[in-house]
Amino acid sequence: MRALVLNACVALVVILYGSVARATTVDFTILDSATKVAGGSFSFATGLTGVLSYSNLSAFSVQILGGPTYDLTFAETAPNYQYFAYNTSTNVFVPTNIGGSEYEVLGALNLSNLTGFIVSSGSPEQLATYYTGCQDCSVFSGYTTINYNVITTPVTTTPLPAAFPLFGAGLGLIGLLVGRRQRNIAGARANVSGAA
């Protein structure tokens, strides 16, 4: 009996574990020489391959030191400029040439209210940020690199719809087993009392 209950519990654990999505998180730092000028992170579903864009991300943020933080909602809806490319095979950002020597690494820009950010790997390398009402309030030139590391973290999500019937069946099985055991115990006690 205990073995059946144990097996049912193991089955439930497997079902619940299968409903937990896994995400890969990449933290990055932008340096001006050796000084950090911005940092952020982005996440995407583990197992996703190829070159990712903003639309493939489940989360994104970049925080300009001494300035604003921009998130995925801003980046995806920035009307004037959006660029993000990250190669999951080589784990590197993929710059694109948008004009001459300007190679953009990532960016999102809304010119109507002058907000956003652009990270360039061209010549000179720079991080240009746009605050409300102020264009190029902070331009850091000569950053050495964008440092980043990849971290895989489990991200709990709502169980998949297909898991609900299995989950219910598992609970029902446990209920039946526990009920049968209690009836057997009660019957045994009644027999002992009757024999006495």
Side-chain angles (χ1 to χ4, degrees), residues 128 167 181:
F167 183 73
R181 182 175 174 82

Side-chain angles (χ1 to χ4, degrees), residues 2-68:
R2 286 183 179 177
L4 288 174
V5 173
L6 181 62
N7 287 340
C9 290
V10 169
L12 282 176
V13 169
V14 170
I15 291 168
L16 291 176
Y17 182 81
S19 69
V20 174
R22 296 203 172 272
T24 297
T25 299
V26 177
D27 298 319
F28 61 91
T29 303
I30 302 173
L31 303 175
D32 183 4
S33 296
T35 304
K36 178 180 177 179
V37 293
S41 67
F42 57 92
S43 301
F44 55 92
T46 299
L48 200 59
T49 59
V51 178
L52 308 181
S53 64
Y54 280 126
S55 63
N56 300 121
L57 305 183
S58 56
F60 171 85
S61 68
V62 59
Q63 201 270 320
I64 313 300
L65 296 191

Side-chain angles (χ1 to χ4, degrees), residues 24 26 28 30 39-45 48-64 69-88 93-94 96 104-110 115-120 127-128 146:
T24 297
V26 177
F28 61 91
I30 302 173
S41 67
F42 57 92
S43 301
F44 55 92
L48 200 59
T49 59
V51 178
L52 308 181
S53 64
Y54 280 126
S55 63
N56 300 121
L57 305 183
S58 56
F60 171 85
S61 68
V62 59
Q63 201 270 320
I64 313 300
T69 297
Y70 299 103
D71 61 11
L72 183 59
T73 300
F74 176 87
E76 288 182 319
T77 59
N80 303 111
Y81 178 80
Q82 298 175 29
Y83 181 72
F84 178 94
Y86 181 79
N87 191 325
T88 59
F93 288 100
V94 182
T96 188
E104 304 304 339
V105 177
L106 58 94
L109 186 60
N110 184 347
T115 57
F117 61 94
I118 293 177
V119 177
S120 168
L127 161 68
I146 296 180

